[in-house]
Amino acid sequence: MISTELLVNISAAAALFGMMAYGMFGGADFGGGVWDLFATGPRKREQRLAIQKAMGPVWEANHVWLIFVVVVLFTCFPRAYSKLAIALFVPFHLALVGIILRGASFVFRSYQAQEPSDAADTSIWGVVFGVASIISPVLLGAAFGVVTEGLIQVKDGQVEAHPAFWLTPYALANGLLALVTCAYLAAVYLTNETQGELREDFRYRAILAGTGTAALAGIVLALAWFEARWFVDRMLSPRALPVVIAGLFCFAASAWAVFTRRYVLSRVFAAGEICMLILGWGLAQHPFLVYPDLTFETTAAPHATLLFLVLSLPVGGLLLVPSLFYLFRVFKS
């Protein structure tokens, strides 16, 4: 018989895997919206068409991973999920509105004109798409900052949190870091899907966003030293530190590949950076789901529920992974 502790850890690992996949694919989608809004220069129209071509077939499928994470959390850790939903009600719902608006505006813009290429011209739907692509990752990053800052307190089953605690300097710095990371990821991916001067446009944006990512990572680390010291100590623990170092190595290697125009390598390392840093966060966060009051074990669903979900994962994976692979093969190869 599988122990409850093992089922809890498998469920937590599944949610973490979903976050890594969402960061790697969904993050690039958000970044595409950022560069669509800030398309500039003589190839502004071509930049938007390249983004539209890259995102069009897959943007909706990428959000499968966000839905997967939400389902695993409310199924396997319902007590913690309810407390997070209460404490982070405002940023979560604003982020959800942003995700809906960006998806709807992306589609409306694509069908607003007679010719598909006309969608690259400036319109209200394009502005909505770009602004929503900025707001959503900032809010999700701020929510991440709130969790690591330990501002959500649970006493006698009740959430004790200030309504605006997601607006602290540390939380907002995390939000901005999430935004520039998404922008960097998108720019790196787009250098692999364009050629010539258009590729140089996105290479320049990758350098710009990568520099911003490094600067904001330093600011977040400095703020965390004072505002989230427990998290810094756990990130520097023997369990998480090697993974964090691997993530930093991937970031440096990706930047080197961008500078030296090794575009395939830059994409591999950029994706690896996202995966390693989220994995390092997960290892540092464990066993807390919401520090300092809620752990995975104390908020877990009954054994039968955990077992059902864990046994369902391979079945779902057999359906989901090949279908996503086929989708990318058809539209991205």
Side-chain angles (χ1 to χ4, degrees), residues 30 51 53 59 101 104 116 143 148-149 172 202 209 212 218 235 238 250 255 285 289 308:
F30 287 126
I51 293 167
K53 181 182 177 183
W59 69 270
L101 282 177
T148 57
E149 198 170 1
L172 290 178
F202 289 115
M235 288 284 279
C250 285
Q285 184 82 16
L289 207 164
F308 179 81

Side-chain angles (χ1 to χ4, degrees), residues 106-136:
F106 183 74
V107 173
F108 290 160
R109 188 181 69 168
S110 299
Y111 289 97
Q112 70 179 357
Q114 296 296 321
E115 297 294 330
S117 61
D118 292 343
D121 295 329
T122 303
S123 70
I124 185 62
W125 294 119
V127 174
V128 172
F129 171 61
V131 172
S133 298
I134 291 175
I135 291 173
S136 298

Side-chain angles (χ1 to χ4, degrees), residues 203 216 299 301 326:
R203 176 175 170 270
L216 276 166
T299 60
Y326 189 61

Side-chain angles (χ1 to χ4, degrees), residues 237-263:
S237 67
R239 181 171 59 177
L241 186 59
V243 179
V244 174
I245 291 175
L248 295 176
F249 169 79
C250 285
F251 177 62
S254 175
W256 165 79
V258 169
F259 275 109
T260 56
R261 294 182 171 82
R262 292 172 168 83
Y263 299 112

